[in-house]
Amino acid sequence: VQLQASGGGLVQAGDSLRLSCAASERTFSSYVMEWFRQAPGKERECVAAINRSGGSTVFLDSVKGRFTISRDHAKNTVYLQMNNLKPEDTAVYYCAADRIGVLCGTVSYWGKGTQVTVSS
């Protein structure tokens, strides 16, 4: 499956951004969808994940209460709504799809990243 992420940009602290990730396959609903990020000099980390039905989500502790993840099966798209952004959220954000089903576990497919930069 091909994943195309979009929506990154340069914002100020406290602003919001919504990332989108469009999947190429109609079997989108069979994948757990995840958002990872990687800041310079740091390891890639899972920011949020959503199960196949959209009824279960998990978040990195540092983004809980600020980020939400959702999916639209009609559009084969997963979203990451990021509110009250902080400079430490600056990173390249990657969309991922997983066949196994463990939220923020394994990854079957990676999309290209989109840069999010938050200025203080």
Side-chain angles (χ1 to χ4, degrees), residues 51-110:
N51 72 345
R52 296 179 179 91
S53 69
S56 180
T57 58
V58 295
F59 295 93
L60 185 67
D61 283 347
S62 61
V63 307
K64 285 180 180 177
R66 300 189 296 122
F67 290 12
T68 59
I69 186 171
S70 60
R71 64 193 300 165
D72 185 334
H73 289 165
K75 296 182 178 180
N76 289 351
T77 300
V78 62
Y79 303 98
L80 184 68
Q81 177 67 43
M82 304 184 294
N83 298 328
N84 190 22
L85 282 161
K86 303 177 180 182
E88 51 264 42
D89 295 318
T90 295
V92 177
Y93 283 72
Y94 297 89
C95 175
D98 181 49
R99 289 184 176 274
I100 303 300
V102 177
L103 301 186
C104 281
T106 56
V107 172
S108 302
Y109 303 98
W110 290 99

